């Protein structure tokens, strides 16, 4: 069982580039609160983990040209609350499985200027859930794997008028393993479906 807290800051030049408004803007701030637990069961053949968390961003950069053209306004705030569940285990000595699911609720808590119409909306590219499941079977020196990962609906703009649909992508893997080398082939998007990650 654990509790954790972390804070960080995001300066204007994080991508080694400054624009005129960002050059004089102090950093955005981030805070993360997390509580979790991990259990090992069935003589170590099953591991479970559960996490609840809250992430907050304050001093978010907003733009309001009517107030200032010289720098961004640090008037924005948003948060994400989430729950994440994970499992890893051996079904047989040769057969392993891994999976996780996360549920999130995100909200823009404060905004001003040209961003005021985003208040109480969902931030861009924040799905309400994500999931993945992967399994690997060992047969001698060979490994055969497959699984699925996906995400729920995500909004493509901060006014929540344009969205990306739910998707699930299936992948597969074959590997030949030796003590000094491994040869692996990965096949992504097995069913050749169109999907949008962001």
């Amino acid at each position: 069982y654990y509790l954790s807290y972390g804070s960080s800051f995001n300066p204007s030049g994080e991508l080694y580039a400054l624009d005129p408004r960002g050059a004089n803007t102090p950093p955005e701030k981030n805070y993360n609160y997390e509580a979790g637990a991990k259990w090992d069961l069935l003589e170590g053949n099953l591991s479970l983990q559960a996490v609840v968390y809250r992430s907050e961003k304050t001093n978010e950069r907003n733009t309001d040209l009517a107030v200032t053209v010289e720098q961004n306004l640090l008037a924005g705030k948003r948060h994400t609350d989430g729950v994440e569940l994970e499992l890893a285990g051996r079904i047989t000595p040769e057969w392993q499985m891994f999976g996780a699911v996360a549920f999130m609720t995100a909200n823009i808590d404060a905004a001003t200027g040209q961003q005021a119409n985003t208040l109480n909306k969902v931030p861009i590219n924040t799905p309400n859930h994500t999931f993945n499941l992967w399994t690997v079977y060992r047969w001698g020196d060979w490994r055969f794997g497959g699984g699925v990962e996906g995400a729920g609906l995500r909004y493509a703009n901060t006014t929540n008028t344009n969205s990306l649909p739910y998707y699930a992508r299936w992948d597969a893997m074959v590997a030949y393993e030796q003590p000094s080398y491994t040869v692996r082939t990965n096949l992504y998007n097995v069913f050749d479906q169109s999907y949008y990650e962001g």
Side-chain angles (χ1 to χ4, degrees), residues 45-149:
N45 289 311
L46 177 62
S47 177
L48 301 175
Q49 183 170 331
V51 177
V52 294
Y53 66 88
R54 182 180 181 93
S55 295
E56 296 178 352
K57 175 184 277 191
T58 62
N59 282 0
E60 185 178 47
R61 298 181 199 109
N62 283 182
T63 301
D64 191 351
L65 299 180
V67 176
T68 176
V69 297
E70 297 178 354
Q71 72 182 66
N72 292 322
L73 300 176
L74 298 185
K77 180 180 179 182
R78 65 179 62 186
H79 78 272
T80 302
D81 295 325
V83 176
E84 186 171 333
L85 306 171
E86 298 180 13
L87 68 85
R90 287 185 289 271
I91 299 171
T92 70
E94 297 80 20
W95 189 9
Q96 296 178 310
M97 186 168 287
F98 312 89
V101 62
F103 301 96
M104 293 164 281
T105 302
N107 190 69
I108 298 174
D109 302 312
T112 190
Q114 294 176 329
Q115 307 298 319
N117 61 343
T118 68
L119 190 63
N120 293 320
K121 303 292 186 181
V122 178
I124 291 175
N125 208 30
T126 307
N128 54 8
H129 71 278
T130 62
F131 63 92
N132 65 76
L133 183 65
W134 184 257
T135 185
V136 177
Y137 187 81
R138 183 181 66 209
W139 185 54
D141 295 330
W142 291 89
R143 305 288 184 273
F144 301 92
V148 60
E149 69 172 61

Side-chain angles (χ1 to χ4, degrees), residues 106-194:
N107 190 69
I108 298 174
D109 302 312
T112 190
Q114 294 176 329
Q115 307 298 319
N117 61 343
T118 68
L119 190 63
N120 293 320
K121 303 292 186 181
V122 178
I124 291 175
N125 208 30
T126 307
N128 54 8
H129 71 278
T130 62
F131 63 92
N132 65 76
L133 183 65
W134 184 257
T135 185
V136 177
Y137 187 81
R138 183 181 66 209
W139 185 54
D141 295 330
W142 291 89
R143 305 288 184 273
F144 301 92
V148 60
E149 69 172 61
L153 180 141
R154 291 136 295 140
Y155 288 105
N157 58 13
T158 52
T159 54
N160 296 173
T161 58
N162 187 4
S163 64
L164 301 171
Y166 154 91
Y167 77 88
R169 188 194 76 203
W170 292 83
D171 303 326
M173 176 273 298
V174 176
Y176 180 74
E177 296 183 353
Q178 290 295 300
S180 58
Y181 68 90
T182 299
V183 178
R184 179 188 311 267
T185 298
N186 293 304
L187 179 60
Y188 299 105
N189 197 8
V190 172
F191 299 110
D192 194 26
Q193 297 294 309
S194 296

